[in-house]
Structures are given as structure tokens and as C-alpha cells.
Amino acid sequence: MNKKNQVIELFTGYSYANKETQEMKANASVTLVKSENKIILVDTMTAWDKDVLLKQLKSYHVQPEDVNFLVCTHGHSDHCGNMNLFTNATHFLGSCVSFRHLYYYHDFEKNPYVLDNDVEVMFTPGHTSTCVSLIVKNSTAEKNGTIAIVGDLFEKEEDIFDDSLWIEAGTEMEKMQRQNRLKVAEIADFIVPGHGPKFKVTDEMIEKLRLDLHM
Ligand SMILES: [Zn+2]
């Protein structure tokens, strides 16, 4: 059995809509994954959060140059605000994969992009047309469960029973997002959403997501 993949929530994202002022206060969840051979960071908050991010990484003994893969789940500013701190890492900006001026072609529709044993980047469009999620199997979660770190495929746990929360947060491809929400929930034991704490996937949630697809 491979060594377990350690998943650490560095920052818990949030979002609050203010209908009166037509504003949304939001920042993204940041997750650190220490797999067997690699250090992977998922999302980087806004450009104003450099110090918070560096401090959090340091508390887990990670320097920015130690990061091998930076996975920004999509190109919204609260998810990719600090990419230039991680110059030794291969960058994913959604499904766009690059290192310096080299851009790599990968057919995400066919296969996920494997980063290490039991760790892969999966194509999960919906919120934007190029969103990705990090799928971590054999994790440090209970029973070596699978953790999906999904950006804004799920806004927060509450959005499963209140669709307005993810739809009003913006969806470029609503039907596709519904399909990918179900697909991810079916393989994951836990989900780290873009703007809330990690939650456990229950049978009731999967049932609800299935019903949503047939609406
Ligand atoms: Zn977001």
C-alpha cells in the first residue's frame, strides 16, 4: 500500500452575497496536498493575500519553491491571485497546463492528468468552461477515503440543498455543472468546496444531485 496522501486545509473559503449592494464578499479555499513524492497546492486566494498564504505554508514547513504542482481550479481572481510565488511548479490554470513559456497539451476529456500515486487533476467544467478538480485517493481522511478539491463546482456544502447558492455564484454551463457535481460526489468521500469547509458526502446528497439532473 502506498503511503497515505496528506490533505491539509490551509484556508477555508467563504462567500456572502449582499443583494442590496449587489456585491459579493468572497475568498477561496486553499488546500495543500503532500503526496508520496510531490507537494501540490490548490488555489491561491486573491492578490492581496500573499502574506496569509506564505504564513500558512510556512506553518506546514513548505516554502513556495518546494511546490511541484500549483492547481488553480479556474481563472477567477480569488483562486489564482498568487501564481507567481510558485515558480518551480507546473501550473494548472483550469485545464491550461504550463511551466514558464511551455504549454502542455493534455486531453482532459479522455483522461485525468496524473500528478502522483492516487492524485490526479480531473476536468470538471460548469462554473467555468475550463474548471478542474484535484482528486486525492488513499488520503489521510477517515478510512483512507477519497477527497475531491473542487474549486467552485461546489460553492459550499449548503449549495446541495439550495441550488441558488451555486447558480447565483455564476455558472457558465449549468447542465454540465450538474453532471459534474454528481460525478464528483459519486467518487468522493469528502469534498473541499471553493467557498466553505470540507464536508462528508452522504447518500442523501447523492440522491439530491441525481434528482437535480432530471429536472
Ligand atoms: Zn470562487
Side-chain angles (χ1 to χ4, degrees):
M1 186 96 179
N2 295 324
K3 208 175 131 215
K4 283 192 204 175
N5 294 312
Q6 202 184 345
V7 177
I8 301 156
E9 293 174 84
L10 280 191
F11 183 83
T12 301
Y14 56 82
S15 62
Y16 307 102
N18 185 332
K19 291 210 168 122
E20 262 165 46
T21 60
Q22 293 280 298
E23 286 171 330
M24 168 92 103
K25 192 181 272 187
N27 215 335
S29 302
V30 181
T31 312
L32 176 67
V33 177
K34 290 184 173 177
S35 65
E36 200 167 356
N37 308 295
K38 304 290 181 191
I39 294 181
I40 302 152
L41 188 69
V42 185
D43 287 338
T44 64
M45 307 170 81
T46 78
W48 289 265
D49 299 306
K50 176 184 169 189
D51 294 341
V52 179
L53 189 57
L54 290 177
K55 195 173 159 213
Q56 279 296 87
L57 282 169
K58 204 173 170 193
S59 69
Y60 289 94
H61 313 289
V62 174
Q63 300 298 323
E65 56 271 23
D66 301 334
V67 175
N68 302 111
F69 293 104
L70 174 62
V71 180
C72 293
T73 54
H74 61 287
H76 288 163
S77 54
D78 52 337
H79 296 261
C80 57
N82 290 287
M83 294 182 80
N84 70 353
L85 297 177
F86 304 97
T87 49
N88 286 338
T90 296
H91 288 186
F92 290 71
L93 184 54
S95 57
C96 179
V97 191
S98 65
F99 183 80
R100 295 178 187 263
H101 59 182
L102 280 178
Y103 287 79
Y104 304 109
Y105 180 73
H106 181 78
D107 191 351
F108 279 97
E109 307 256 8
K110 278 211 176 115
N111 293 305
Y113 193 117
V114 176
L115 303 187
D116 199 358
N117 297 321
D118 294 322
V119 184
E120 56 191 38
V121 178
M122 179 177 159
F123 191 45
T124 53
H127 176 68
T128 74
S129 61
T130 57
C131 283
V132 295
S133 298
L134 189 75
I135 310 296
V136 183
K137 296 174 197 157
N138 185 32
S139 77
T140 44
E142 66 182 74
K143 296 180 189 158
N144 305 348
T146 296
I147 302 184
I149 305 153
V150 302
D152 293 357
L153 180 65
F154 290 87
E155 181 83 356
K156 52 186 73 171
E157 179 176 356
E158 294 81 352
D159 84 10
I160 293 176
F161 293 98
D162 180 357
D163 283 323
S164 70
L165 290 174
W166 65 269
I167 291 171
E168 283 168 18
T171 174
E172 291 179 9
M173 305 159 89
E174 189 178 319
K175 180 87 193 288
M176 181 74 85
Q177 191 163 351
R178 287 184 196 281
Q179 287 168 356
N180 282 323
R181 282 160 65 85
L182 175 61
K183 196 168 164 186
V184 165
E186 283 178 332
I187 60 169
D189 300 295
F190 295 89
I191 288 175
V192 179
H195 297 274
K198 182 176 79 184
F199 63 89
K200 192 170 172 37
V201 179
T202 65
D203 293 343
E204 291 73 29
M205 289 176 181
I206 293 175
E207 194 51 38
K208 167 68 168 61
L209 295 169
R210 276 197 191 123
L211 284 174
D212 286 351
L213 255 191
H214 303 295
M215 273 173 30

